Amino acid sequence: MAGVPASVVAAGGLVGGYGVARWTKKRPLGGAALAAAGVVAAREWRRKAGTGTAAALTGLYVAAFAGSHPLAKKVGAWPSVFAVAGGVALASWAAADRRAG
């Protein structure tokens, strides 16, 4: 994953995980995609910004996934997923990717 910012990996994991689950109708498969991207992003966060920042961003990633569900009831599934993915990407960029230059 050299050269791909962790913010892109994390946002892609949230969007891709939902997409896989929706299009295959297999939620565990979407969960696997979400988890795999989360692991890759967490490794990059740790490498770029340290363990504490990686833990915080990983917590945000999980919270975004969980929070997208009630948000989807208000704004729809795809807008919810894109909103939380954008939030995670922005936080990741600010906390880790921006510094890594």
Side-chain angles (χ1 to χ4, degrees):
M1 295 301 300
V4 178
S7 55
V8 173
V9 173
L14 289 161
V15 173
Y18 175 68
V20 167
R22 181 175 175 122
W23 290 313
T24 65
K25 299 191 184 337
K26 297 188 184 318
R27 292 178 75 185
L29 193 56
L34 176 85
V39 167
V40 172
R43 280 191 201 146
E44 283 300 297
W45 291 327
R46 184 172 177 261
R47 185 181 69 77
K48 291 177 179 177
T51 302
T53 299
L57 288 171
T58 299
L60 177 64
Y61 185 77
V62 172
F65 166 71
S68 70
H69 292 82
L71 181 60
K73 292 179 182 180
K74 296 180 188 290
V75 300
W78 280 113
S80 172
V81 170
F82 287 131
V84 300
V88 169
L90 182 61
S92 174
W93 176 81
D97 294 336
R98 175 176 59 161
R99 298 185 215 184

